[in-house]
Amino acid sequence: MQRLAAAALIAAVAFAGTASAGTVNLTLDGVQPRGGRILVTVQSRDQFMKPAQTSGAVLDGSSSGQLKVALPNVPAGDYAISVLHDADQSWGMTMGADGKPAEGWTMNKAGDLRAKPTFDQVKVSLDGDASLTQTMMYPK
């Protein structure tokens, strides 16, 4: 009986070890040279839309076209990967008088969103290294 319990414990530890941290290689398409900075965040459900993150980066906002960023050591799990082109350098999303974003942004399924996103709408499941591409959305 003890051998069976020990074997089950070893199997559980081995199975838990299969989930691993990895690097998220993010490609941003359609970046416009609007100055400021581009803020990239990887957030868990508990961190979503709050000033907390699992991983992140700050990029030069004067670039245009395509940008690539590597976000290392992201543990396996579900995450929202959000990008804000913080042109006014306020460290937050500036909203227009119409209630819509006044700065560039993107996240998973950005083109399908019509209101403030929920975590479940934009989450991606990660387990090890991943390559993702997101297209920036800018106000007209």
Side-chain angles (χ1 to χ4, degrees), residues 58-104:
V58 178
L59 308 173
D60 180 8
S62 62
S63 300
S64 67
Q66 189 178 78
L67 289 178
K68 295 184 180 208
V69 61
L71 304 158
N73 301 316
V74 177
D78 291 337
Y79 295 96
I81 301 172
S82 305
V83 181
L84 168 63
H85 191 151
D86 186 24
D88 64 7
Q89 301 188 58
S90 66
W91 292 101
M93 172 65 78
T94 300
M95 304 301 281
D98 60 0
K100 294 180 182 176
E103 298 181 291

Side-chain angles (χ1 to χ4, degrees), residues 2-77:
Q2 288 178 344
R3 287 184 187 182
L4 183 59
L9 179 61
I10 291 169
V13 169
F15 179 74
T18 61
S20 60
T23 297
V24 176
N25 295 296
L26 178 64
T27 300
L28 298 173
D29 284 336
V31 176
Q32 296 180 6
R34 297 196 175 193
R37 57 188 158 229
I38 297 173
L39 309 174
V40 181
T41 61
V42 178
Q43 296 180 303
S44 66
R45 180 181 300 276
D46 293 338
Q47 297 167 332
F48 186 59
M49 302 293 256
K50 297 177 184 172
Q53 63 188 26
T54 299
S55 184
V58 178
L59 308 173
D60 180 8
S62 62
S63 300
S64 67
Q66 189 178 78
L67 289 178
K68 295 184 180 208
V69 61
L71 304 158
N73 301 316
V74 177

